[in-house]
Amino acid sequence: MLEIKNLQVKLEDEDKQILKGLDLKVEAGKVHAIMGPNGSGKSTLSYVLSGRDGYEVTEGSATLEGEDILELEPEERAAAGMFLAFQYPVEIPGVGNMTFLRTAVNAQRKARGEEELSASDFLKEVRAKAKTLKIDADMLKRPVNVGFSGGEKKRNEILQMAMLEPKLCILDETDSGLDVDAMKLVAEGVNALRDENRGFLVITHYQRLLDHIKPDVVHILAGGRIVKTGGPELALEVENNGYAGILAEVDA
Amino acid sequence: MALPEAKQTATEARLAALELPEGGCLKAARQAALSRVQTMGLPSRRDEYWKYTRPDTLTAAEVSKAAVFETGEAPMFDGFDRLKVVFVDGVFDADASDDLSLEGISIERIADICEKDIHWAKDLYGVLEARGQTPVQRPLAALNTAFATDGVVIHVTGTPSKPVNLVYRHADEASDAILHHVIKVDSGASATILENGPAAARFNKCMEIDVADGGALHVVRAQGRDHERRAATHMFARLGTESVFKSFTLTVNGVLTRNEAVVELTGDDAVAHIAGACVGDGDFHHDDTVFITHDAVNCESRQVFKKVLRNGATGVFQGKILVKEGAQKTDGYQISQSLLLDDDSQFLAKPELEIYADDVACSHGSTSGAIDEEGLFYLRSRGVPKAEATDLMTLAFLAEAVDEIEDADVAGAIIERLEGWLARRH
Ligand SMILES: Nc1ncnc2c1ncn2[C@@H]1O[C@H](COP(=O)(O)OP(=O)(O)OP(=O)(O)O)[C@@H](O)[C@H]1O
Ligand SMILES: [Mg+2]
């Protein structure tokens, strides 16, 4: 599904290398988790994959189902099936959440040559999905993320993901700022989308989320590279012992 | 005090090109206005109040031509249930207009009332304009009072079933129109006025509005899309106790527009909202100059102005809230913002507060900025193409101003125009 080879990324405006030869492969139907110390480049990876400005890829490649995505515009990547649940969802005053969702859904359909969803079909779907995420009608009417609590913003990300039905879902610390119940809701939302055609890349600092969203593979990202890959037990090791041991082992 | 020589000469040249209409009951008002113009002189670049907008083409004896723009689209507010009053190049067109009778409202031409010796409009014509000459001079409005060749006086006595739509058509590329309207809203009465169209190559319009206690007036105008047209408009409103006055202006295109709004809250608990949205591309200069005076207790005023500028377009905002002594519990809000779609465009803002009461809440803010890149990326990451995402953000930027329009259908029509403007730029 997603294949990243020797990805090297620096900041556009600064002579600062952030990703330093990152290799990663996410297969369809699998959940991969990425853990790693603060500042190791996890969000950068997610931004580079979704096409945000400000980064320069100096080496390497990233493909989604064989297609080189690094050359695509962000909207083209989205239409190709890429989705990023932001670590810090953006507030857009003046744009209604509902309008935003409908515009996004229909834009992607159009890009793929599919028919647009009718207003009533869209409404039905959005209401049903919002309900399972405990997103009330008021939140759908309000401007995108404006005045949403941290947890509401994260649930709103998952609602977008559920509506857009992407092929590859990247979740950047979707668990941060969530209370225990909200975390369950979000995890259920994610699990509902799990199927053999969809891949997940879940960035998190905590084992807690992985109790609910069981990963198939866990990677440790440090210093701009994947330094260790293992099974779910790797997350437990981080939870218990932190990164010191793992990093020492890698350095050795 | 004698005027500076250049100003004197320019004023005389302009006045020489005009003819004072036969007065009837408005004769005294016109003559008084003429002497106001002669005393003040017409605005010049040196005047502080015209620091950001060059008045030359507005005051010149000769009108600069403006091509008539055929949009190929249905005019604004077509399809609305309305009473249409049409002016072509500033001249009332009876054939194109609807029958002017409507329950709850009376509409008469200025030209007709001039023939009468007694008319209610006599007590308002030029009166509110004259009041609005202090503390800041507005000579173009006085010029209008003196020389207006047409216009309507509207008396709102009840709640008419539909809005009155003043339609300003432009047919002659060298037309120079001076229109003056007077609107009097009786106690407890309420009406909506819609205005649209470019009016003329050069348009000087003055609207005097008197809203009695408990009355309400809504004005929504869409200034025509002719690229080369010029306009100087004034709105003078006086509000009584618990009255409401709301005005929204959409401006799309036009090489030069100066819209002045002068509002006086004279009765307690009155509400005045003045809003505007303008979108300009290239040779576009748009100036909103607003002066709101709070002279009563517990009144609310809002000024909401949004400008979208690109390709070297210029936006100007001069807005003042004056809270007089004793105007306690004043709630004054003012915001003026521009969205600059490139580095060539500019926004010049002069927000002012002058407060002589101690128990007031007034705020003002002015910003100028580019489109929010974070928001743009967020939308694009969800699959919304860049152009569409930019439009969405632009409409969102304008939303606070458009939200000032109370009628949803009218707001919808305005939004449609804005979307059209954006779509034409893809
Ligand atoms: N636009 C930027 N300007 C300056 N520095 C940046 C920028 N983007 C990323 N960085 C730097 O790159 C490094 C990696 O940042 P990134 O946000 O990817 O880390 P992260 O692994 O997601 O951390 P966290 O766990 O705290 O979310 C950090 O040192 C960060 O300060
Ligand atoms: Mg991060």
Side-chain angles (χ1 to χ4, degrees):
Chain A
M1 164 115 328
L2 175 71
E3 197 165 352
I4 302 169
K5 282 185 194 151
N6 188 32
L7 190 62
Q8 302 194 20
V9 172
K10 68 178 274 291
L11 291 177
E12 217 166 53
D13 300 336
E14 252 176 81
D15 205 17
K16 183 173 175 183
Q17 194 77 24
I18 300 176
L19 299 183
K20 301 168 181 167
L22 186 141
D23 294 287
L24 181 69
K25 209 167 165 175
V26 179
E27 307 81 11
K30 298 283 193 248
V31 174
H32 286 234
I34 294 189
M35 303 180 85
N38 293 131
S40 56
K42 303 181 297 296
S43 293
T44 302
L45 172 65
S46 69
Y47 285 143
V48 168
L49 291 176
S50 45
R52 189 188 198 195
D53 281 344
Y55 304 100
E56 191 185 325
V57 176
T58 50
E59 281 265 5
S61 66
T63 57
L64 186 67
E65 292 189 311
E67 186 184 5
D68 175 9
I69 53 164
L70 296 178
E71 289 303 310
L72 301 179
E73 297 294 333
E75 57 268 33
E76 294 169 330
R77 301 182 195 204
M82 178 82 81
F83 181 91
L84 167 64
F86 283 54
Q87 180 172 4
Y88 305 106
V90 181
E91 300 188 1
I92 313 185
V95 177
N97 211 8
M98 203 69 133
T99 309
F100 164 61
L101 276 169
R102 199 177 53 237
T103 309
V105 167
N106 284 331
Q108 292 205 13
R109 285 177 159 253
K110 206 169 139 194
R112 294 194 213 105
E114 298 164 13
E115 219 175 293
E116 297 193 356
L117 264 189
S118 77
S120 69
D121 286 349
F122 169 79
L123 213 62
K124 237 182 268 163
E125 205 177 315
V126 110
R127 284 201 181 125
K129 286 179 171 160
K131 200 171 163 201
T132 61
L133 287 161
K134 296 222 161 76
I135 290 175
D136 59 27
D138 182 54
M139 258 172 75
L140 290 174
K141 269 190 233 141
R142 272 155 57 186
V144 180
N145 293 326
V146 177
F148 287 26
S149 74
E152 286 170 344
K153 283 181 182 167
K154 297 300 176 82
R155 275 185 280 149
N156 200 31
E157 294 291 291
I158 301 304
L159 174 64
Q160 293 164 41
M161 189 169 91
M163 289 302 296
L164 294 169
E165 300 180 330
K167 288 181 187 151
L168 180 79
C169 308
I170 306 174
L171 284 79
D172 191 358
E173 292 194 32
T174 300
D175 52 337
S176 69
L178 292 183
D179 64 36
V180 181
D181 296 327
M183 170 123 73
K184 267 196 193 141
L185 277 177
V186 162
E188 280 164 18
V190 172
N191 288 330
L193 281 170
R194 282 180 83 157
D195 72 29
E196 70 237 16
N197 301 316
R198 188 169 283 131
F200 287 87
L201 195 56
V202 180
I203 298 170
T204 183
H205 285 296
Y206 305 106
Q207 167 61 32
R208 248 182 358 167
L209 180 70
L210 303 179
D211 286 339
H212 299 289
I213 307 173
K214 297 251 179 324
D216 299 292
V217 184
V218 176
H219 307 273
I220 306 298
L221 199 166
R225 299 215 311 268
I226 301 292
V227 295
K228 191 167 182 183
T229 296
E233 73 288 347
L234 191 52
L236 283 169
E237 190 189 329
V238 169
E239 179 89 353
N240 293 331
N241 306 323
Y243 294 107
I246 295 169
L247 296 183
E249 175 192 322
V250 172
D251 281 344
Chain B
M1 199 178 70
L3 295 173
E5 200 182 319
K7 191 176 263 238
Q8 180 79 37
T9 314
T11 303
E12 277 169 10
R14 175 62 178 138
L15 295 179
L18 290 164
E19 214 175 306
L20 207 64
E22 289 296 315
C25 67
L26 302 182
K27 191 171 177 183
R30 289 186 187 274
Q31 271 168 347
L34 174 59
S35 65
R36 279 198 292 283
V37 180
Q38 285 164 332
T39 313
M40 295 186 276
L42 288 174
S44 78
R45 304 183 61 174
R46 296 254 174 89
D47 297 348
E48 180 67 20
Y49 217 43
W50 290 85
K51 194 168 158 188
Y52 304 122
T53 298
R54 292 188 61 154
D56 343 8
T57 51
L58 297 171
T59 58
E62 286 256 329
V63 62
S64 310
K65 287 185 181 172
V68 175
F69 183 51
E70 301 289 351
T71 64
E73 289 170 28
M76 189 90 201
F77 306 129
D78 262 24
F80 276 71
D81 185 20
R82 60 191 166 149
L83 191 155
K84 199 164 70 168
V85 182
V86 180
F87 297 87
V88 180
D89 292 315
V91 182
F92 176 69
D93 184 336
D95 294 337
S97 301
D98 292 330
D99 174 8
L100 299 188
S101 51
L102 178 67
E103 170 119 25
I105 197 165
S106 91
I107 306 167
E108 294 167 90
R109 275 183 80 182
I110 293 269
D112 291 338
I113 69 162
C114 282
E115 290 164 9
K116 301 177 183 171
D117 287 333
I118 305 172
H119 196 277
W120 63 263
K122 186 169 172 277
D123 298 329
L124 287 175
Y125 188 95
V127 172
L128 299 186
E129 173 261 298
R131 281 175 76 99
Q133 296 293 352
T134 40
V136 191
Q137 296 184 347
R138 306 170 202 281
L140 283 169
L143 181 93
N144 181 302
T145 300
F147 295 99
T149 44
D150 219 327
V152 282
V153 297
I154 297 177
H155 188 184
V156 186
T157 52
T159 310
S161 59
K162 52 186 169 188
V164 172
N165 185 189
L166 305 173
V167 179
Y168 307 120
R169 291 192 191 141
H170 175 205
D172 176 352
E173 62 172 13
S175 55
D176 191 15
I178 307 182
L179 286 184
H180 196 110
H181 308 305
V182 176
I183 301 173
K184 178 177 155 83
V185 182
D186 280 355
S187 180
S190 97
T192 297
I193 308 284
L194 304 174
E195 297 180 275
N196 65 290
R202 178 167 68 180
F203 188 32
N204 179 331
K205 192 195 72 176
C206 181
M207 189 181 255
E208 294 178 287
I209 296 161
D210 189 43
V211 189
D213 297 354
L217 186 75
H218 294 247
V219 178
V220 177
R221 69 176 156 175
Q223 295 181 305
R225 269 164 57 192
D226 292 24
H227 291 273
E228 294 157 348
R229 62 143 189 87
R230 292 177 162 79
T233 77
H234 289 83
M235 205 151 55
F236 296 94
R238 179 170 63 187
L239 305 196
T241 303
E242 289 177 9
S243 68
V244 174
F245 172 57
K246 292 190 181 179
S247 150
F248 173 88
T249 303
L250 168 74
T251 312
V252 180
N253 303 346
V255 68
L256 177 59
T257 307
R258 162 96 160 197
N259 291 328
E260 296 195 24
V262 184
V263 179
E264 222 185 329
L265 297 136
T266 60
D268 296 349
D269 305 301
V271 173
H273 291 193
I274 311 294
C278 82
V279 287
D281 189 349
D283 204 0
F284 175 90
H285 182 106
H286 188 276
D287 176 336
D288 280 300
T289 291
V290 182
F291 198 113
I292 295 188
T293 305
H294 282 260
D295 197 10
V297 174
N298 202 34
C299 291
E300 172 191 309
S301 72
R302 275 175 74 83
Q303 301 172 47
V304 183
F305 288 89
K306 301 271 184 157
K307 297 175 199 282
V308 176
L309 305 166
R310 51 176 273 165
N311 280 331
T314 300
V316 174
F317 175 78
Q318 305 189 98
K320 180 157 182 171
I321 306 175
L322 169 64
V323 180
K324 288 200 171 171
E325 209 181 317
Q328 302 296 8
K329 308 266 185 234
T330 286
D331 178 4
Y333 175 80
Q334 179 197 88
I335 189 157
S336 62
Q337 295 182 312
S338 77
L339 177 62
L340 305 177
L341 296 180
D342 53 46
D343 295 337
D344 304 330
S345 304
Q346 60 169 347
F347 178 54
L348 306 160
K350 192 180 174 198
E352 282 181 285
L353 287 177
E354 196 178 327
I355 301 175
Y356 298 101
D358 48 21
D359 183 13
V360 301
C362 282
S363 67
H364 67 113
S366 183
T367 63
S368 185
I371 219 141
D372 175 29
E373 288 293 333
E374 292 278 324
L376 195 62
F377 172 63
Y378 192 63
L379 288 167
R380 295 177 73 190
S381 78
R382 298 309 184 235
V384 184
K386 188 175 182 187
E388 208 179 321
T390 307
D391 288 359
L392 228 111
M393 304 271 300
T394 306
L395 287 172
F397 165 78
L398 294 167
E400 189 184 355
V402 177
D403 283 349
E404 289 291 328
I405 304 171
E406 291 211 346
D407 186 288
D409 293 335
V410 174
I414 296 284
I415 290 169
E416 220 170 87
R417 291 292 151 145
L418 290 167
E419 286 171 343
W421 185 85
L422 291 166
R424 287 192 295 279
R425 263 138 204 95
H426 283 173

